[in-house]
Amino acid sequence: MPRLVLEWERSLGRRLTLRDLHILKTVAQSGSMAKAARSLGMSQPSVSEAVAKLEAVLRVRLLDRGPRGVEPTIYTNALLRREQVISDEVQQAIRDIEFLADPAAGEIRIGCPENLACGFVPTVIDRMSRCYPKVTFHVTPVEPAAMGFRELRERSVDLMIGRILAPPLDDDLDAQTLFEDRLLVVAGASSPWTRRRKIAMDELLDEPWVHIPQNNLVNTYYVASLRARGLTPPTPVVSTYSMHVRNHLVATGRYLAVFWEWTLRFNTNGQSLKVLPVDLGVPSRPVATVKLKNRTLSPVVELFIGQAQELARSMSMRSATRAKAPSSRG
């Protein structure tokens, strides 16, 4: 067994504190003992003493000192990668204690793309907050696939909700599918295209389109799917991630756009938007909750996942019932 591991079991664990790790992290991020001391509300000698103590305990140099300040060594980078996990686990333990003391309270940090933040996610939050009014929610707009689930791995969010465009996921991620989603062509209710019963995609190429920017995995997936069918993707007049901009422009009746079906289900502008009878032929993709496999989540986060699954099931059953219902048209 390595020497330091043996010493940890004997005495090292009692000498290495979370406070010392936090001081080292602050110094590494600020690049200066003096700046770190101001940030921590400590004296500079106390900061230097804490770093020196760590170096003595671990028997490696943690900081390279120079005229421009300090730089973390490879040993510090290795240590702080684990510090992030330790800090997160301690915070999760505190949340567990809060939940045990009051099962109706807690905090949930969610990362999701804006099109899910405009409907599905806030609906889950509203349903859950009615039963657990003391729970607080923090929603970070982010495209999980495009960002490589970075926020999840950095532990700045507890879970992510997003579309799985290119399965399988990495081994450290655990995904639970909520529902299947598909892309649809949408126009404003006043658009003349809404009076057509069947439309070929080629007929719409010269229309003004609003779409997400090209440097995005969703756009790449959409374009590749169209080209695989021999279709030419339309060139957008407006490129934006903003759902507000897309909704407003499409609702005028002048613009066309591609929307995910479940985004439309929760869209407050649903009456002003109409799905066009266009066969894109783009395969549906699963929307899932994604979390780190080896990360312990607080019970209140698991409650949120359960609420999301319940909403997805009820919406899917409602959709299936409508699809089976006989048409009232003559």
Side-chain angles (χ1 to χ4, degrees):
M1 187 177 293
R3 171 170 49 84
L4 283 178
V5 174
L6 281 170
E7 292 194 16
W8 174 268
E9 294 180 351
R10 293 171 185 164
S11 64
L12 188 57
R14 295 192 295 271
R15 298 164 60 194
L16 191 64
T17 68
L18 291 175
R19 175 180 177 274
D20 293 335
L21 291 175
H22 178 62
I23 291 173
L24 177 64
K25 181 179 180 179
T26 305
V27 173
Q29 290 176 340
S30 61
S32 164
M33 293 283 191
K35 290 180 181 178
R38 288 195 295 271
S39 175
L40 294 165
M42 300 171 57
S43 67
Q44 186 171 338
S46 296
V47 172
S48 300
E49 181 183 353
V51 174
K53 173 188 169 184
L54 275 177
E55 291 181 328
V57 168
L58 298 173
R59 301 175 190 174
V60 294
R61 181 181 291 275
L62 296 174
L63 297 172
D64 287 328
R65 282 85 169 170
R68 295 186 178 179
V70 295
E71 290 286 341
T73 66
I74 57 173
Y75 307 112
T76 294
N77 292 331
L79 187 61
L80 292 184
R81 280 196 297 270
R82 302 300 180 181
E83 183 276 340
Q84 186 175 17
V85 177
I86 294 169
S87 176
D88 178 72
E89 289 296 330
V90 171
Q91 291 180 45
Q92 292 289 3
I94 293 171
R95 293 189 189 113
D96 289 351
I97 292 171
E98 290 176 341
F99 182 81
L100 291 171
D102 185 354
E107 178 188 64
I108 306 172
R109 299 171 300 167
I110 309 151
C112 65
E114 188 179 1
N115 48 49
L116 288 173
C118 285
F120 180 77
V121 170
T123 302
V124 177
I125 290 173
D126 182 56
R127 286 164 62 111
M128 185 170 175
S129 65
R130 292 174 187 273
C131 300
Y132 305 95
K134 294 182 182 179
V135 173
T136 58
F137 303 85
H138 303 273
V139 181
T140 301
V142 61
E143 179 60 61
M147 300 304 294
F149 300 93
R150 184 186 66 196
E151 287 81 1
L152 194 61
R153 290 188 169 103
E154 291 178 350
R155 299 173 182 249
S156 60
V157 298
D158 298 313
L159 77 154
M160 285 188 163
I161 300 180
R163 294 172 185 83
I164 311 300
L165 298 177
L169 297 179
D170 293 339
D171 291 340
D172 63 331
L173 300 176
D174 177 32
Q176 298 182 47
T177 298
L178 294 171
F179 53 85
E180 292 287 327
D181 210 357
R182 59 177 178 150
L183 288 169
L184 303 170
V185 178
V186 176
S190 61
S191 169
W193 290 106
T194 60
R195 297 192 288 271
R196 295 275 298 273
R197 294 189 175 183
K198 189 174 182 180
I199 304 171
M201 187 65 180
D202 289 344
E203 298 180 75
L204 305 175
L205 295 181
D206 293 330
E207 293 296 305
W209 284 78
V210 185
H211 200 51
I212 58 176
Q214 293 183 358
N215 58 339
N216 183 284
L217 285 180
V218 174
N219 182 76
T220 301
Y221 172 75
Y222 158 71
V223 169
S225 298
L226 288 184
R227 286 178 175 164
R229 295 190 61 207
L231 298 175
T232 302
T235 301
V237 174
V238 180
S239 296
T240 179
Y241 287 110
S242 170
M243 286 299 301
H244 297 292
V245 173
R246 294 170 69 191
N247 286 340
H248 182 86
L249 291 176
V250 175
T252 65
R254 295 185 53 233
Y255 299 84
L256 303 178
V258 173
F259 279 60
W260 290 100
E261 180 180 9
W262 276 65
T263 301
L264 291 172
R265 291 189 184 190
F266 294 93
N267 198 307
T268 55
N269 294 328
Q271 297 300 319
S272 59
L273 303 179
K274 299 294 181 182
V275 177
L276 297 184
V278 180
D279 179 18
L280 284 175
V282 178
S284 63
R285 301 310 307 156
V287 172
T289 58
V290 184
K291 56 185 181 180
L292 290 176
K293 280 186 178 178
N294 296 321
R295 183 185 183 189
T296 304
L297 294 176
S298 68
V300 74
V301 176
E302 298 293 353
L303 277 175
F304 179 87
I305 294 174
Q307 290 281 338
Q309 293 170 337
E310 176 59 32
L311 175 60
R313 280 194 296 268
S314 64
M315 292 291 294
S316 297
M317 291 176 61
R318 197 179 310 165
S319 178
T321 300
R322 284 200 301 265
K324 292 180 181 178
S327 173
S328 60
R329 295 178 184 178

